[in-house]
């Protein structure tokens, strides 16, 4: 269980950081991409994605095992 939580925390940092950076750049334009705006967006996204990974992740894992059973 500790590994799943650690994975969710690290994966959340990486994915929300990349996605928030790119989406702000696309929506506001690269010249308007400020560190403060990006960090605020990143923090909000991170707070949303960690519970989502921990709650929805096991359900998706079960679905994948059903759709793609080991042979």
């Amino acid at each position: 269980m500790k590994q799943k939580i650690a994975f969710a925390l690290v994966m959340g940092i990486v994915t929300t950081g990349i996605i928030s950076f790119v989406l702000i750049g696309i929506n506001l334009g690269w010249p308007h991409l400020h560190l403060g705006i990006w960090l605020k967006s990143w923090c909000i996204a991170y707070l949303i994605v960690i519970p989502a990974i921990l709650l929805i992740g096991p359900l998706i894992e079960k679905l994948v095992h059903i759709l793609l059973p080991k042979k």
Side-chain angles (χ1 to χ4, degrees):
M1 185 64 170
K2 287 181 183 180
Q3 288 180 334
K4 286 190 179 198
I5 293 172
F7 174 80
L9 295 174
V10 174
M11 184 60 108
I13 289 171
V14 173
T15 56
T16 56
I18 293 169
I19 291 169
S20 62
F21 182 83
V22 171
L23 290 178
I24 289 172
I26 289 170
N27 289 315
L28 296 180
W30 299 110
H32 301 289
L33 184 63
H34 297 289
L35 182 63
I37 294 170
W38 177 50
L39 288 175
K40 180 180 177 183
S41 176
W42 192 356
C43 288
I44 292 168
Y46 188 74
L47 290 174
I48 293 168
V49 82
I50 293 306
I53 290 172
L54 293 173
L55 296 173
I56 298 170
L59 299 173
I60 293 173
E61 190 175 6
K62 288 178 186 177
L63 178 63
V64 169
H65 287 297
I66 290 169
L67 295 174
L68 301 168
K70 291 183 180 180
K71 293 183 178 184

